[in-house]
Amino acid sequence: MCICFGVQAQEVKITGVVSATEFEGGLPGATILEKGTNNGTVTDVNGKFSISVSEGATLVFSSVGYISQEKKVANSSSLKVSLEPDITNLEEVVVIGYGTVKKRDLTGAVTSVKSEDIRQVPAQNPLESIQGKVAGVDITRGSGSSSSGINIRIRGNRSIGAGNNPLFIVDGVQTGNIDNINPNDIESMEFLKDASSTAIYGWQGANGIVIVTTKKGATGTPKVTFNSYFGLSQVSRYPSVMNGDEYAAIKREANRTTGKWSSEADDPLIFNTQELAAVQNGDWIDYQDLLFKNGTQQNYNIGVNAGSDKTKVYTSLDYYSEKGILKFDDIKRYTLRANVDHTFNNWVKAGLQSQVANRDESYRRDPLNMANKIIPLGTVYDENGDFIVYPLGGSSISPLADEQVDVFSNTGKITDVIANVYLELKPFAGFSFRSNFGSSISNSRIGLFEGSNSISRNGGNSRAQYTASNSRFFNWDNVINYSKEIKDHSFAITALSSYVQNEGDNVLAQGESQLLPGQLYFGLGNAPDNITINSGYAKWNVLSFAARLNYNYKGKYLITLTDRADGASRLSKGNKWAFFPSAAFAWRIVDENFMENIASISELKLRLSYGVAGNSGIQPYGTQSSLTRMPMAFGESSFQGFTFSPLLGNPDAGWELSATTNLGVDFGLWKNRLSATVDIYDTRTSDLLLPRGLPPTTGVQQVYQNIGKTRNHGVEIGLNTVNIESKDFQWESMITFTRNQEEIVSLVTEGVDDIGNGWFVGEPISVFYDYEKLGIWQSSEADEAQSFGQAPGDIKVRDLNGDGQIDAVNDRKVLGGDNRPNWFGGLNNKINYKGFDLSVYLFARWGQTINPNFLSRYDRQSNLNNSSTAIDYWTPENPTNEYPRPNAGLSGSSTLYWSTIGYVDGSYIRLRNLSLGYTLPVKDNPLFSNVRIYLSGTNLLTWTKSSKLDEYDPERGGGESFPMLKSYMFGLNLGF
């Protein structure tokens, strides 16, 4: 950092007036800034200003609601500048399906996120960076593992059996995820949410569309950027387990209940010799402390943007590395991107967008399930310093077993190539033809070795496994666009054909009792036992045709009409084709004559859309019956037999259809110091591809049928405010709010629930169906408890039908609350003071019920397993209503209504990100055009509504493997 960033230059005094084009007089409060410095001023009430700057400097003139201008200081010491209105950035171009449109002309529900907001939160996956920033889009991380994926839902779940993931499109190439896309390479992400905007993609539009556009080259002087960060990761919140003393206490209480223990003199009756010695010596093991360590994250990215009038190039090289908080959990990713656009003449253009990503991953077999249950007594090493595989001489293997030498290895190598080449012809004005050919190719290899003393094998034969898979996806789109203006009428027509194909194959080889652990999963032919080989193949394709008309009258009456036809190979013959029409209307009220004198309203647009989108997302060959090999024997002779696979084919399976009505309004007030978008929607999905259960007597288990309906309806709000705008200080806020309600409208039989699968008419797709826990029977209720066959200290549930007995048919119900939040949203504040920038981002999920594993991790017998410290169990001296009394004679699985003990309100608010940066002045520096350093913290604080979750991160929804993380980053951004 020892670089001289400034050179003394002669100063000149500049005076002038800033005005606005839409009214007479000066513009007060406009900002004038000397480019590349923090030197600036603001205009007075008459729009006048005065500033001293370096000779030859460039001044930047800006004001909220206006397009910024730059003026170079020449010989004149007086300037007059007139700023053009920038009504909510209405000229901003938004990417939609197979084209672009100005933001002012949008008729559908589309949210655009730019690169600045994506890079604000450093993360491996760009989706994780924008959690809570897009209304209607629910994003959660699967776990804290370095290779964990991201869960995303756009406007909730619609399907029960055909999947609910949105379609991702990267530079025209359709893909299943964007895990390998480097956030530094992204120019913008568009989220298409209503049927009008998604219908152009038809066959996968029902779950929403995410369009990712990467950066392109530009003419002018080549620009080089270097972005990097390094950080530490720690466990955010993780439920603790009982220590040695607490475990001894609960075991004593469990045996006091049965009369076997009354004082410490009875300890030899309930502890074995080794356990007793550990209790007396105070020997106990904190396995969580031994397993958890600080993780690290680091990223280094260099990008080059260059071009001439003919050829424009953007290329980048990226390295990302993450070491998790558990040993053997890490990832290294290398990414190379090259985007090239070449103009041959005034009507022929071609280009390439491409990326190669290679990932080296190590996957840890999660040891926490064992660490959270194993008895904590004893020591890790014996008196000779040797590792104790089975603590206390018991049957439970040590949670640290996989970390020993030559015991465990699980690594993967994955290479992904995504590329799109295009040819664009513009033979005459208003007409263009573009042909895109995109391909996504993935190759992966995963090797697993588990020694005899690993957690998984637990003393059995060692096992080695080698899995390889290949997938090849391509889409070929041919798109015609024609636009024409005739006086007050504007037309834009899009017609296209599309062909998509995906095929994949895989192979698995496995063997046991490897003679040399160092061979790992190689040399499987040398494995002496149980060598098995399996392979598979799948292929599907979709052929599509679509057309769209955009009509604009006087710039204020907008109509979009779309229709698409799709044929999907994975559906049954005679049901492969479906049509997906949509219509959208928008009225720019702000452009009407009667709005001219309402100065406080700077933007007002009303939108209405209706359309149908489809989902064919069942597995390939899911409509066909197939055979499965089944070994058989006669006497001592074996032979191969075959039976039907558990999934029965259905020759009538067709499309799921989702019809969405969307009413939206966009408005801005006071030169857009406050601007907002509000959408109200109602999606009704019919002909569900439902995996219907069949009676066991049929010999099969399931069949996909087009039966059942669901509904999603809700409201989305996106609000932006400019709170303060002055010379040295700016403060902007962004608020998002989403409320979505999903419900099953009908199933196999109209109005009838499917209790076996947990599906209930009128309820969300995923609910909790159980007894209603009232508490614990108290000593004063002994007689009433006895009438139900229970005693004080047992779980008390509600007798729903009041018949004096509890049974599964009449006394279970759908509990209040489900695992989807009533609402979620975010609050992002951006503050700039001179060269400093501060970002504070809060995120909330509210009104969700979860059933976390740790609240049910209670060994009532306290015999073989440990329990969570969150367990507040009942004793005569502690008459709690939380957990039943320990009982050495009764296991949890034998305890009545055991399943009711873990439900809890999972509402939380989180400080998602806190960033503080400083941009150094680089005026007249010959090397750098930008230098910024910053500190950033992620998931720093979490507040939960329920005190039971004080040690748990509810974003997981219930799981305990690979806890969620908080991280601290130091970053550097350089521009050359």
Side-chain angles (χ1 to χ4, degrees), residues 399-609:
L400 302 170
D402 286 352
E403 297 187 357
Q404 309 311 304
V405 178
D406 290 337
V407 171
F408 178 86
S409 177
N410 190 11
T411 62
K413 288 184 175 293
I414 304 169
T415 301
D416 290 313
V417 179
I418 185 169
N420 179 49
V421 293
Y422 73 88
L423 174 66
E424 186 174 63
L425 307 178
K426 295 182 177 180
F428 54 90
F431 178 87
S432 69
F433 168 77
R434 184 179 177 112
S435 184
N436 297 298
F437 183 86
S439 180
S440 178
I441 300 173
S442 179
N443 301 290
S444 69
R445 183 274 292 162
I446 298 177
L448 169 67
F449 173 76
E450 298 169 320
S452 175
N453 286 333
S454 64
I455 294 176
S456 296
R457 304 309 294 164
N458 195 17
N461 293 337
S462 65
R463 181 175 64 184
Q465 187 180 91
Y466 190 98
T467 305
S469 63
N470 305 283
S471 67
R472 298 164 294 280
F473 175 92
F474 71 82
N475 60 272
W476 183 25
D477 300 328
N478 293 284
V479 186
I480 293 175
N481 281 291
Y482 178 70
S483 59
K484 182 72 175 178
E485 292 187 11
I486 304 175
K487 295 184 178 180
D488 293 332
H489 306 273
S490 176
F491 302 88
I493 299 173
T494 300
L496 66 95
S497 66
S498 177
Y499 178 74
V500 172
Q501 178 175 298
N502 184 80
E503 62 177 338
D505 58 80
N506 60 79
V507 61
L508 180 148
Q510 179 177 295
E512 294 185 356
S513 304
Q514 288 279 72
L515 299 178
L516 298 175
Q519 287 187 333
L520 299 176
Y521 34 79
F522 302 107
L524 283 177
N526 300 326
D529 298 322
N530 298 329
I531 294 180
T532 58
I533 299 175
N534 197 7
S535 61
Y537 174 82
K539 178 181 178 180
W540 56 265
N541 49 48
V542 178
L543 179 63
S544 308
F545 303 94
R548 179 176 61 207
L549 168 66
N550 289 324
Y551 170 72
N552 180 325
Y553 178 63
K554 291 187 175 181
K556 54 188 177 182
Y557 308 113
L558 312 169
I559 299 176
T560 301
L561 302 175
T562 306
D563 195 13
R564 175 160 173 152
D566 285 311
S569 66
R570 69 181 73 187
L571 298 176
S572 301
K573 186 177 181 180
N575 296 294
K576 296 182 182 297
W577 285 89
F579 290 88
F580 306 106
S582 74
F585 310 90
W587 177 24
R588 287 192 49 77
I589 303 173
V590 72
D591 291 338
E592 296 289 354
N593 293 334
F594 59 79
M595 295 293 294
E596 288 183 354
N597 296 323
I598 308 178
S600 60
I601 300 178
S602 46
E603 166 67 350
L604 183 60
K605 180 170 70 174
L606 188 66
R607 297 177 282 105
L608 176 65
S609 69

Side-chain angles (χ1 to χ4, degrees), residues 343-381:
T343 301
F344 292 92
N345 51 47
N346 58 2
W347 65 280
V348 180
K349 184 180 180 181
L352 164 71
Q353 291 89 40
S354 62
Q355 175 182 284
V356 179
N358 184 78
R359 300 166 68 100
D360 291 330
E361 300 181 346
S362 179
Y363 317 101
R364 176 70 184 269
R365 195 270 193 207
D366 180 74
L368 295 174
N369 182 56
M370 179 68 68
N372 293 334
K373 293 179 179 178
I374 192 170
I375 294 174
L377 301 176
T379 59
V380 176
Y381 302 98

Side-chain angles (χ1 to χ4, degrees), residues 186-308:
I186 296 177
E187 184 66 31
S188 69
M189 295 174 65
E190 272 72 26
F191 293 82
L192 282 56
K193 296 178 285 188
D194 70 325
S196 170
S197 57
T198 64
I200 193 69
Y201 287 103
W203 66 284
Q204 280 187 316
N207 298 323
I209 309 290
V210 181
I211 300 178
V212 178
T213 304
T214 60
K215 295 178 179 178
K216 293 186 177 182
T219 58
T221 304
K223 298 180 180 178
V224 180
T225 59
F226 175 78
N227 302 296
S228 69
Y229 61 81
F230 178 87
L232 296 177
S233 299
Q234 297 175 339
V235 174
S236 173
R237 296 153 67 99
Y238 197 75
S240 57
V241 296
M242 293 183 177
N243 59 31
D245 293 338
E246 291 166 333
Y247 171 77
I250 193 174
K251 185 161 186 176
R252 287 164 178 159
E253 181 61 34
N255 285 275
R256 181 166 77 120
T257 303
T258 61
K260 191 175 181 179
W261 185 93
S262 59
S263 69
E264 293 186 10
D266 295 326
D267 280 355
L269 300 177
I270 63 173
F271 296 105
N272 64 35
T273 303
Q274 290 179 302
E275 292 173 343
L276 184 61
V279 170
Q280 293 173 344
N281 295 330
D283 293 334
W284 66 277
I285 307 169
D286 186 345
Y287 285 107
Q288 290 184 7
D289 183 63
L290 295 174
L291 287 167
F292 292 149
K293 59 185 180 66
N294 287 334
T296 60
Q297 297 180 46
Q298 52 185 316
N299 180 242
Y300 306 94
N301 174 270
I302 186 168
V304 180
N305 191 317
S308 62

Side-chain angles (χ1 to χ4, degrees), residues 35-92:
K35 189 174 182 180
T37 74
N38 295 322
N39 179 33
T41 187
V42 294
T43 57
D44 61 18
V45 292
N46 298 313
K48 296 181 179 180
F49 72 92
S50 175
I51 185 174
S52 296
V53 298
S54 301
E55 186 176 2
T58 298
L59 293 180
V60 180
F61 298 82
S62 62
S63 183
V64 175
Y66 295 89
I67 300 173
S68 298
Q69 283 191 33
E70 293 187 5
K71 292 282 187 180
K72 189 174 180 64
V73 175
N75 296 327
S76 175
S77 60
S78 180
L79 293 176
K80 290 184 178 181
V81 177
S82 182
L83 298 182
E84 297 279 348
D86 183 14
I87 307 300
T88 63
N89 298 317
L90 295 183
E91 300 305 309
E92 174 187 322

